[in-house]
Amino acid sequence: MDYSDIASVAGKGGLFKIVKPTRTGVILESLDDKKQKLVASATQRISVLSDISIYTTNQEGSTPLEDVFRKINKEFDDDLGVTATSEPDELKAFLKHILPDYDEQRVYVSDIKKVVNWYNALRENAPELLKEKKEDKKKEKKEPKEQKSKKTEKSE
């Protein structure tokens, strides 16, 4: 599973796994334990997590949500210290800690609440997405080289 396989639907709480496209929309399955299926039509606003980013004041102008989730996981892991029902000042301080250059004018408290809720949903249902990308790539690159060297040792 990847961030491009998970979506948010406007008006529906939580995250959904994209099962498959249809002629008129997409079949989605809730990411929680209920595994409820939903057919989202083309008229509904569906946002894929890989396309979502948080506004920043740096040169790029935004940071992908995927990077933000990985920073949160690296820094806090299971205990965020905030929930979606926390005070607005606490939520802003939390995001400021994770993303010091986030744009306070364009990122609303409701957006931070979504980040917290979505992070918790991913931690429970797809924790592999929160791991560092670089480590995974290094492991994948090392394994084939080690296998090749073992084969060449056997043939010698």
Side-chain angles (χ1 to χ4, degrees):
M1 193 179 326
D2 196 7
Y3 282 92
S4 59
D5 298 330
I6 300 175
S8 169
V9 179
K12 303 281 184 189
L15 295 174
F16 297 87
K17 178 182 175 188
I18 299 171
V19 178
K20 66 180 182 177
T22 66
R23 287 182 295 175
T24 59
V26 181
I27 298 174
L28 303 170
E29 181 180 79
S30 65
L31 208 57
D32 59 12
D33 295 335
K34 296 177 186 173
K35 302 292 181 198
Q36 294 175 332
K37 295 214 177 181
L38 164 75
V39 178
S41 67
T43 59
Q44 288 180 298
R45 286 193 351 220
I46 301 170
S47 301
V48 179
L49 289 191
S50 62
D51 295 341
I52 299 173
S53 58
I54 296 179
Y55 291 117
T56 59
T57 56
N58 63 16
Q59 201 169 21
E60 290 84 33
S62 66
T63 300
L65 190 61
E66 180 176 347
D67 295 346
V68 174
F69 284 154
R70 288 196 171 112
K71 285 180 185 178
I72 292 171
N73 188 55
K74 186 176 180 181
E75 187 79 24
F76 294 100
D77 197 28
D78 289 343
D79 185 22
L80 298 182
V82 295
T83 64
T85 58
S86 295
E87 292 295 318
D89 291 338
E90 290 178 36
L91 291 167
K92 289 177 183 178
F94 167 75
L95 189 59
K96 190 79 166 169
H97 179 76
I98 296 300
L99 201 60
D101 56 352
Y102 89 94
D103 190 340
E104 295 180 38
Q105 300 297 317
R106 297 168 75 188
V107 178
Y108 301 108
V109 173
S110 59
D111 300 326
I112 302 170
K113 288 179 180 183
K114 285 181 190 174
V115 168
V116 170
N117 281 334
W118 291 352
Y119 175 81
N120 287 330
L122 288 176
R123 187 173 46 85
E124 289 176 22
N125 301 296
E128 68 276 5
L129 294 178
L130 301 172
K131 303 296 178 208
E132 285 292 324
K133 215 193 282 187
K134 294 175 186 174
E135 293 175 6
D136 294 340
K137 287 183 179 179
K138 286 179 185 176
K139 288 178 187 176
E140 290 173 7
K141 287 180 182 177
K142 286 182 182 179
E143 288 176 9
K145 289 179 184 177
E146 292 172 4
Q147 290 173 355
K148 288 179 186 176
S149 62
K150 288 179 184 178
K151 289 178 183 176
T152 55
E153 290 173 6
K154 288 179 183 177
S155 61
E156 292 175 358

